[in-house]
């Protein structure tokens, strides 16, 4: 009879063969919803979809100048970490980013290198800064992703 250790090693290899890859496949555009469900959602496999949102106005509008005009002095939540790693294990501890309240323009100054600060500053929230803190930018995006909603069987705003 095979040992438990042998079976676990085989199971790990089988799992890898079934759904784990050494790289994430790239798709050149949005797939057909049924194919996307069959190939990626159903088997729970990752992929990168290029050109899925290339028609969104945000891609051409969201320059530092536009963002300063649109949002400027509005105060938002900003995550700050020493190295860019957040919600991560560091040594024997789980660390979360420091959250600061800053004007959007101040964050842009740091990102653009106009102001030097220690740490990595970024705008992120688990459930979307965009909808909660930056609704002024929502109009630059498509409010609905039809092929994804069809693949998932529900409206995804």
């Amino acid at each position: 009879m095979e040992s438990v250790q042998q079976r676990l090693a085989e199971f790990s290899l089988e799992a890898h063969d079934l759904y784990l890859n050494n790289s994430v496949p790239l798709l050149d555009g949005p797939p057909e919803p049924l194919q996307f469900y069959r190939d990626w959602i159903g088997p729970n496999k990752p992929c990168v979809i290029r050109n899925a949102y290339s028609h969104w106005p945000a891609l051409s509008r969201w320059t530092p100048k536009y963002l300063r005009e649109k949002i400027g002095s509005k105060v938002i939540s900003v995550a700050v970490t020493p190295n860019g790693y957040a919600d991560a294990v560091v040594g024997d501890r789980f660390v979360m980013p420091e959250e600061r309240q800053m004007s959007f323009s101040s964050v842009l100054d740091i990102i653009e290198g106009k102001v030097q600060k220690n740490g990595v500053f970024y705008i992120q929230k688990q459930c979307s800064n965009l909808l909660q803190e930056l609704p002024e930018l929502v109009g630059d995006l498509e409010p609905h992703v039809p092929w994804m909603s069809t693949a998932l069987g529900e409206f995804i705003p």
Side-chain angles (χ1 to χ4, degrees):
M1 183 173 268
E2 292 182 272
S3 75
V4 172
Q5 290 172 330
Q6 285 176 313
R7 287 300 299 145
L8 286 173
E10 289 173 11
F11 176 74
S12 177
L13 292 173
E14 288 172 1
H16 187 272
D17 289 344
L18 284 172
Y19 63 90
L20 298 175
N21 299 309
N22 291 329
S23 63
V24 177
L26 300 174
L27 307 180
D28 286 325
E32 292 297 318
L34 181 58
Q35 179 187 0
F36 186 62
Y37 188 86
R38 284 181 181 161
D39 294 348
W40 307 104
I41 295 172
N44 198 29
K45 290 183 177 182
C47 68
V48 173
I49 303 170
R50 291 183 174 163
N51 304 310
Y53 308 108
S54 57
H55 60 286
W56 284 12
L59 293 175
S60 59
R61 286 186 187 157
W62 287 7
T63 63
K65 181 179 186 239
Y66 175 84
L67 294 172
R68 282 182 198 281
E69 290 170 2
K70 198 86 165 155
I71 302 164
S73 62
K74 184 174 189 176
V75 175
I76 59 166
S77 301
V78 179
V80 184
T81 65
N83 55 13
Y85 298 120
D87 296 343
V89 176
V90 177
D92 64 344
R93 302 189 190 276
F94 182 80
V95 295
M96 295 175 55
E98 172 191 352
E99 274 204 25
R100 296 184 190 173
Q101 296 296 304
M102 300 175 66
S103 72
F104 194 87
S105 291
S106 296
V107 177
L108 280 177
D109 288 343
I110 294 166
I111 291 170
E112 291 180 291
K114 294 177 180 178
V115 173
Q116 298 299 313
K117 295 275 186 180
N118 290 331
V120 177
F121 289 68
Y122 53 98
I123 302 167
Q124 66 87 30
K125 276 200 184 232
Q126 192 70 23
C127 295
S128 178
N129 285 79
L130 185 64
L131 298 176
Q132 293 175 8
E133 294 187 319
L134 303 169
E136 301 88 344
L137 299 177
V138 172
D140 296 336
L141 308 169
E142 187 176 78
H144 173 60
V145 182
W147 60 271
M148 180 60 75
S149 295
T150 301
L152 295 175
E154 62 183 81
F155 177 76
I156 307 297

